[in-house]
Amino acid sequence: MKIGIVCYPTYGGSGVVATELGIGLARRGHEIHFITYKRPARLSHFQTNVFYHEVDTEEYPLFEYAPYETALASKLVDVVKYENLDLLHVHYAIPHAAVAYMAKKILLSQGRYVPVVTTLHGTDITLVGTHKAFKPVVEFSINKSDGVTAVSNSLRQQTHDYFNITRDIEVIHNFVDFERFRKSNKDHFKKAIAPEGERVLIHVSNFRKVKRVEDAVKVFHQVRQKLPSKLLLIGDGPERRNIESLCRELHLCDDIRFLGKQDAIEELMAVADVFLLPSEKESFGLAALEAMACEVPVISTNAGGLPEVNIHGETGFMSNVGDVDDMAKNAIYILSNDEVLNQFRANALEQARRFDISNILPHYESYYETIIKTAVYTTTD
Ligand code: GMT
């Protein structure tokens, strides 16, 4: 198949899933066209069957905000026609589902039909999507997509709860590539991070409020009172300043390293003993899955789709949002005993295997095939 993929090209989970999906499909012989405003972060080198089309947004003195949606719709029309695409797969409902609808209608007016699959990732539904500035457009464009997928059962349910959805939503979970995410020996790095053999806790996110990174710092504060330990904070975002202030207030700066945005997450996971994910909302928790694939147990909340990934008492533990004491107690339990830690590591790996990319990609392929076969060609709506 020839598939166009539209996504946010940043370090966010939806962009990661979209890029890994495209690369994985290309390896299976499909022709993949990424259409976005910047090269996706995980599309780092040449891949056979992968093409990239940059959306050009013109600066013009009249525009206070460059009309990205208009430029993207025009680009989609162009790429579908000239690359002869079979399907458009757009990730994150806002604004991509609405833009794809527009492109589809323009193409239809020229006698060219292309079906659109929209994947819902999380905050496009649970946070921004329900805001009244966006809700009517999000609801309409979900209903008008030819196919809709959600990354967890929880997100599927929430989409039905928040919107008036008149169509089926297929659940296709996030996935992980074990070629890349697996435990490796990084002793030299571990020595640099934890020279006295301290336990290493890790958190990876885009430091948005919804991630509650301050809770990760508070959990670490309690863990460090019981066990010699270090915390690695990977990523960056709007809450960084507040998180730094908290580290200073709690006198933790010597034991917390802010490493910023990183590409080789798997190398950092290799030195970690526990992954912290105290999110207020989390439709799936891709970062937790990547940690588990590297044999790192997860201390998380029970928000959203996390119970579909993290098995309480086996691959880690879950607590209510904000229950820092419980998360700290559970982390201390896992980290206090090598045997316990190793058992949790093994369980984490076994659970992660359920989400191996080679199990999930065929699900996308068969879904695309069904949509291409059954989507209805109409110019009336
Ligand atoms: O988690 C983020 O802040 C990034 C966000 C995104 O949309 O880029 O991630 C969402 O999509 C991921 C991939 O499907 C999911 O694994 C994350 O759980 C989800 N984040 C939230 O729901 C907060």
PDB file of all heavy atoms in Angstrom, residues 157-177:
ATOM      1  N   GLN A 157     -13.272   4.401  25.290  1.00  0.00           N
ATOM      2  CA  GLN A 157     -14.417   4.678  26.153  1.00  0.00           C
ATOM      3  C   GLN A 157     -14.559   6.173  26.421  1.00  0.00           C
ATOM      4  O   GLN A 157     -15.651   6.737  26.341  1.00  0.00           O
ATOM      5  CB  GLN A 157     -14.255   3.894  27.471  1.00  0.00           C
ATOM      6  CG  GLN A 157     -15.475   3.947  28.383  1.00  0.00           C
ATOM      7  CD  GLN A 157     -16.758   3.544  27.651  1.00  0.00           C
ATOM      8  OE1 GLN A 157     -16.812   2.511  26.980  1.00  0.00           O
ATOM      9  NE2 GLN A 157     -17.789   4.391  27.729  1.00  0.00           N
ATOM     10  N   GLN A 158     -13.429   6.822  26.699  1.00  0.00           N
ATOM     11  CA  GLN A 158     -13.486   8.259  26.990  1.00  0.00           C
ATOM     12  C   GLN A 158     -13.977   9.053  25.779  1.00  0.00           C
ATOM     13  O   GLN A 158     -14.701  10.032  25.935  1.00  0.00           O
ATOM     14  CB  GLN A 158     -12.114   8.757  27.422  1.00  0.00           C
ATOM     15  CG  GLN A 158     -11.838   8.441  28.885  1.00  0.00           C
ATOM     16  CD  GLN A 158     -10.455   8.896  29.287  1.00  0.00           C
ATOM     17  OE1 GLN A 158      -9.469   8.525  28.657  1.00  0.00           O
ATOM     18  NE2 GLN A 158     -10.371   9.685  30.330  1.00  0.00           N
ATOM     19  N   THR A 159     -13.600   8.606  24.604  1.00  0.00           N
ATOM     20  CA  THR A 159     -14.054   9.300  23.391  1.00  0.00           C
ATOM     21  C   THR A 159     -15.580   9.210  23.291  1.00  0.00           C
ATOM     22  O   THR A 159     -16.255  10.198  22.978  1.00  0.00           O
ATOM     23  CB  THR A 159     -13.386   8.689  22.133  1.00  0.00           C
ATOM     24  OG1 THR A 159     -11.985   8.632  22.346  1.00  0.00           O
ATOM     25  CG2 THR A 159     -13.674   9.511  20.892  1.00  0.00           C
ATOM     26  N   HIS A 160     -16.113   8.019  23.598  1.00  0.00           N
ATOM     27  CA  HIS A 160     -17.579   7.871  23.579  1.00  0.00           C
ATOM     28  C   HIS A 160     -18.217   8.697  24.702  1.00  0.00           C
ATOM     29  O   HIS A 160     -19.313   9.232  24.535  1.00  0.00           O
ATOM     30  CB  HIS A 160     -17.964   6.397  23.708  1.00  0.00           C
ATOM     31  CG  HIS A 160     -17.804   5.653  22.405  1.00  0.00           C
ATOM     32  ND1 HIS A 160     -18.571   5.923  21.296  1.00  0.00           N
ATOM     33  CD2 HIS A 160     -16.947   4.666  22.038  1.00  0.00           C
ATOM     34  CE1 HIS A 160     -18.208   5.127  20.293  1.00  0.00           C
ATOM     35  NE2 HIS A 160     -17.216   4.361  20.726  1.00  0.00           N
ATOM     36  N   ASP A 161     -17.538   8.784  25.851  1.00  0.00           N
ATOM     37  CA  ASP A 161     -18.109   9.555  26.972  1.00  0.00           C
ATOM     38  C   ASP A 161     -18.153  11.049  26.671  1.00  0.00           C
ATOM     39  O   ASP A 161     -19.096  11.738  27.039  1.00  0.00           O
ATOM     40  CB  ASP A 161     -17.274   9.349  28.252  1.00  0.00           C
ATOM     41  CG  ASP A 161     -17.362   7.920  28.768  1.00  0.00           C
ATOM     42  OD1 ASP A 161     -18.261   7.176  28.331  1.00  0.00           O
ATOM     43  OD2 ASP A 161     -16.511   7.545  29.605  1.00  0.00           O
ATOM     44  N   TYR A 162     -17.096  11.557  26.022  1.00  0.00           N
ATOM     45  CA  TYR A 162     -16.982  13.014  25.851  1.00  0.00           C
ATOM     46  C   TYR A 162     -17.682  13.535  24.598  1.00  0.00           C
ATOM     47  O   TYR A 162     -18.005  14.713  24.504  1.00  0.00           O
ATOM     48  CB  TYR A 162     -15.514  13.437  25.767  1.00  0.00           C
ATOM     49  CG  TYR A 162     -14.686  13.201  27.013  1.00  0.00           C
ATOM     50  CD1 TYR A 162     -13.291  13.143  26.929  1.00  0.00           C
ATOM     51  CD2 TYR A 162     -15.265  13.059  28.267  1.00  0.00           C
ATOM     52  CE1 TYR A 162     -12.511  12.932  28.055  1.00  0.00           C
ATOM     53  CE2 TYR A 162     -14.497  12.851  29.394  1.00  0.00           C
ATOM     54  CZ  TYR A 162     -13.123  12.778  29.285  1.00  0.00           C
ATOM     55  OH  TYR A 162     -12.355  12.575  30.392  1.00  0.00           O
ATOM     56  N   PHE A 163     -17.815  12.676  23.580  1.00  0.00           N
ATOM     57  CA  PHE A 163     -18.346  13.153  22.295  1.00  0.00           C
ATOM     58  C   PHE A 163     -19.532  12.298  21.873  1.00  0.00           C
ATOM     59  O   PHE A 163     -19.688  11.173  22.343  1.00  0.00           O
ATOM     60  CB  PHE A 163     -17.276  13.042  21.191  1.00  0.00           C
ATOM     61  CG  PHE A 163     -16.033  13.860  21.446  1.00  0.00           C
ATOM     62  CD1 PHE A 163     -14.919  13.273  22.008  1.00  0.00           C
ATOM     63  CD2 PHE A 163     -15.989  15.202  21.107  1.00  0.00           C
ATOM     64  CE1 PHE A 163     -13.765  14.019  22.239  1.00  0.00           C
ATOM     65  CE2 PHE A 163     -14.844  15.950  21.330  1.00  0.00           C
ATOM     66  CZ  PHE A 163     -13.726  15.357  21.893  1.00  0.00           C
ATOM     67  N   ASN A 164     -20.295  12.839  20.942  1.00  0.00           N
ATOM     68  CA  ASN A 164     -21.386  12.057  20.370  1.00  0.00           C
ATOM     69  C   ASN A 164     -20.830  11.346  19.129  1.00  0.00           C
ATOM     70  O   ASN A 164     -20.857  11.880  18.027  1.00  0.00           O
ATOM     71  CB  ASN A 164     -22.537  13.015  20.018  1.00  0.00           C
ATOM     72  CG  ASN A 164     -23.733  12.257  19.495  1.00  0.00           C
ATOM     73  OD1 ASN A 164     -23.780  11.016  19.602  1.00  0.00           O
ATOM     74  ND2 ASN A 164     -24.668  12.963  18.909  1.00  0.00           N
ATOM     75  N   ILE A 165     -20.331  10.138  19.346  1.00  0.00           N
ATOM     76  CA  ILE A 165     -19.634   9.414  18.267  1.00  0.00           C
ATOM     77  C   ILE A 165     -20.592   8.403  17.652  1.00  0.00           C
ATOM     78  O   ILE A 165     -21.180   7.580  18.362  1.00  0.00           O
ATOM     79  CB  ILE A 165     -18.361   8.720  18.809  1.00  0.00           C
ATOM     80  CG1 ILE A 165     -17.396   9.755  19.389  1.00  0.00           C
ATOM     81  CG2 ILE A 165     -17.677   7.886  17.719  1.00  0.00           C
ATOM     82  CD1 ILE A 165     -16.895  10.795  18.412  1.00  0.00           C
ATOM     83  N   THR A 166     -20.680   8.463  16.329  1.00  0.00           N
ATOM     84  CA  THR A 166     -21.686   7.646  15.641  1.00  0.00           C
ATOM     85  C   THR A 166     -21.044   6.482  14.884  1.00  0.00           C
ATOM     86  O   THR A 166     -21.657   5.895  14.006  1.00  0.00           O
ATOM     87  CB  THR A 166     -22.453   8.527  14.636  1.00  0.00           C
ATOM     88  OG1 THR A 166     -21.486   9.154  13.779  1.00  0.00           O
ATOM     89  CG2 THR A 166     -23.282   9.585  15.326  1.00  0.00           C
ATOM     90  N   ARG A 167     -19.807   6.197  15.178  1.00  0.00           N
ATOM     91  CA  ARG A 167     -19.120   5.162  14.402  1.00  0.00           C
ATOM     92  C   ARG A 167     -18.267   4.295  15.327  1.00  0.00           C
ATOM     93  O   ARG A 167     -18.055   4.631  16.482  1.00  0.00           O
ATOM     94  CB  ARG A 167     -18.250   5.823  13.348  1.00  0.00           C
ATOM     95  CG  ARG A 167     -17.412   6.973  13.927  1.00  0.00           C
ATOM     96  CD  ARG A 167     -16.176   7.246  13.153  1.00  0.00           C
ATOM     97  NE  ARG A 167     -15.566   5.982  12.840  1.00  0.00           N
ATOM     98  CZ  ARG A 167     -15.519   5.468  11.602  1.00  0.00           C
ATOM     99  NH1 ARG A 167     -15.994   6.152  10.602  1.00  0.00           N
ATOM    100  NH2 ARG A 167     -14.963   4.299  11.389  1.00  0.00           N
ATOM    101  N   ASP A 168     -17.780   3.185  14.797  1.00  0.00           N
ATOM    102  CA  ASP A 168     -16.936   2.295  15.595  1.00  0.00           C
ATOM    103  C   ASP A 168     -15.547   2.890  15.772  1.00  0.00           C
ATOM    104  O   ASP A 168     -15.047   3.571  14.883  1.00  0.00           O
ATOM    105  CB  ASP A 168     -16.739   0.956  14.865  1.00  0.00           C
ATOM    106  CG  ASP A 168     -17.988   0.110  14.933  1.00  0.00           C
ATOM    107  OD1 ASP A 168     -18.872   0.434  15.754  1.00  0.00           O
ATOM    108  OD2 ASP A 168     -18.073  -0.859  14.148  1.00  0.00           O
ATOM    109  N   ILE A 169     -14.948   2.554  16.899  1.00  0.00           N
ATOM    110  CA  ILE A 169     -13.539   2.939  17.111  1.00  0.00           C
ATOM    111  C   ILE A 169     -12.769   1.650  17.368  1.00  0.00           C
ATOM    112  O   ILE A 169     -13.123   0.870  18.263  1.00  0.00           O
ATOM    113  CB  ILE A 169     -13.388   3.891  18.310  1.00  0.00           C
ATOM    114  CG1 ILE A 169     -14.171   5.190  18.068  1.00  0.00           C
ATOM    115  CG2 ILE A 169     -11.914   4.189  18.582  1.00  0.00           C
ATOM    116  CD1 ILE A 169     -14.170   6.165  19.242  1.00  0.00           C
ATOM    117  N   GLU A 170     -11.754   1.436  16.579  1.00  0.00           N
ATOM    118  CA  GLU A 170     -10.939   0.220  16.711  1.00  0.00           C
ATOM    119  C   GLU A 170      -9.801   0.501  17.698  1.00  0.00           C
ATOM    120  O   GLU A 170      -9.116   1.526  17.575  1.00  0.00           O
ATOM    121  CB  GLU A 170     -10.355  -0.115  15.322  1.00  0.00           C
ATOM    122  CG  GLU A 170      -9.511  -1.344  15.265  1.00  0.00           C
ATOM    123  CD  GLU A 170     -10.350  -2.591  14.936  1.00  0.00           C
ATOM    124  OE1 GLU A 170     -11.596  -2.500  14.862  1.00  0.00           O
ATOM    125  OE2 GLU A 170      -9.723  -3.650  14.761  1.00  0.00           O
ATOM    126  N   VAL A 171      -9.611  -0.398  18.656  1.00  0.00           N
ATOM    127  CA  VAL A 171      -8.487  -0.208  19.585  1.00  0.00           C
ATOM    128  C   VAL A 171      -7.247  -0.898  19.009  1.00  0.00           C
ATOM    129  O   VAL A 171      -7.276  -2.094  18.724  1.00  0.00           O
ATOM    130  CB  VAL A 171      -8.819  -0.774  20.981  1.00  0.00           C
ATOM    131  CG1 VAL A 171      -7.584  -0.728  21.896  1.00  0.00           C
ATOM    132  CG2 VAL A 171      -9.967   0.015  21.602  1.00  0.00           C
ATOM    133  N   ILE A 172      -6.206  -0.112  18.794  1.00  0.00           N
ATOM    134  CA  ILE A 172      -4.900  -0.680  18.407  1.00  0.00           C
ATOM    135  C   ILE A 172      -3.873  -0.060  19.359  1.00  0.00           C
ATOM    136  O   ILE A 172      -3.600   1.151  19.305  1.00  0.00           O
ATOM    137  CB  ILE A 172      -4.529  -0.399  16.930  1.00  0.00           C
ATOM    138  CG1 ILE A 172      -5.661  -0.836  15.984  1.00  0.00           C
ATOM    139  CG2 ILE A 172      -3.223  -1.112  16.580  1.00  0.00           C
ATOM    140  CD1 ILE A 172      -5.353  -0.686  14.487  1.00  0.00           C
ATOM    141  N   HIS A 173      -3.359  -0.901  20.234  1.00  0.00           N
ATOM    142  CA  HIS A 173      -2.467  -0.402  21.291  1.00  0.00           C
ATOM    143  C   HIS A 173      -1.154   0.140  20.726  1.00  0.00           C
ATOM    144  O   HIS A 173      -0.730  -0.219  19.621  1.00  0.00           O
ATOM    145  CB  HIS A 173      -2.157  -1.539  22.278  1.00  0.00           C
ATOM    146  CG  HIS A 173      -3.289  -1.840  23.218  1.00  0.00           C
ATOM    147  ND1 HIS A 173      -3.927  -3.048  23.254  1.00  0.00           N
ATOM    148  CD2 HIS A 173      -3.889  -1.085  24.163  1.00  0.00           C
ATOM    149  CE1 HIS A 173      -4.883  -3.029  24.177  1.00  0.00           C
ATOM    150  NE2 HIS A 173      -4.880  -1.839  24.746  1.00  0.00           N
ATOM    151  N   ASN A 174      -0.489   0.950  21.529  1.00  0.00           N
ATOM    152  CA  ASN A 174       0.893   1.351  21.219  1.00  0.00           C
ATOM    153  C   ASN A 174       1.759   0.095  21.173  1.00  0.00           C
ATOM    154  O   ASN A 174       1.363  -0.970  21.675  1.00  0.00           O
ATOM    155  CB  ASN A 174       1.443   2.263  22.322  1.00  0.00           C
ATOM    156  CG  ASN A 174       0.924   3.694  22.276  1.00  0.00           C
ATOM    157  OD1 ASN A 174       1.278   4.504  23.131  1.00  0.00           O
ATOM    158  ND2 ASN A 174       0.107   4.032  21.294  1.00  0.00           N
ATOM    159  N   PHE A 175       2.926   0.234  20.598  1.00  0.00           N
ATOM    160  CA  PHE A 175       3.805  -0.928  20.414  1.00  0.00           C
ATOM    161  C   PHE A 175       5.256  -0.516  20.654  1.00  0.00           C
ATOM    162  O   PHE A 175       5.565   0.676  20.781  1.00  0.00           O
ATOM    163  CB  PHE A 175       3.647  -1.466  18.984  1.00  0.00           C
ATOM    164  CG  PHE A 175       3.790  -0.385  17.950  1.00  0.00           C
ATOM    165  CD1 PHE A 175       5.036   0.017  17.519  1.00  0.00           C
ATOM    166  CD2 PHE A 175       2.665   0.263  17.443  1.00  0.00           C
ATOM    167  CE1 PHE A 175       5.168   1.036  16.592  1.00  0.00           C
ATOM    168  CE2 PHE A 175       2.794   1.296  16.513  1.00  0.00           C
ATOM    169  CZ  PHE A 175       4.051   1.678  16.089  1.00  0.00           C
ATOM    170  N   VAL A 176       6.123  -1.520  20.702  1.00  0.00           N
ATOM    171  CA  VAL A 176       7.542  -1.237  20.929  1.00  0.00           C
ATOM    172  C   VAL A 176       8.383  -2.121  20.020  1.00  0.00           C
ATOM    173  O   VAL A 176       8.003  -3.266  19.735  1.00  0.00           O
ATOM    174  CB  VAL A 176       7.887  -1.406  22.431  1.00  0.00           C
ATOM    175  CG1 VAL A 176       7.739  -2.851  22.905  1.00  0.00           C
ATOM    176  CG2 VAL A 176       9.274  -0.872  22.747  1.00  0.00           C
ATOM    177  N   ASP A 177       9.482  -1.565  19.569  1.00  0.00           N
ATOM    178  CA  ASP A 177      10.382  -2.293  18.678  1.00  0.00           C
ATOM    179  C   ASP A 177      11.519  -2.883  19.521  1.00  0.00           C
ATOM    180  O   ASP A 177      12.389  -2.144  20.007  1.00  0.00           O
ATOM    181  CB  ASP A 177      10.928  -1.325  17.624  1.00  0.00           C
ATOM    182  CG  ASP A 177      11.811  -2.015  16.605  1.00  0.00           C
ATOM    183  OD1 ASP A 177      12.119  -3.214  16.791  1.00  0.00           O
ATOM    184  OD2 ASP A 177      12.200  -1.347  15.614  1.00  0.00           O
TER     185      ASP A 177
END
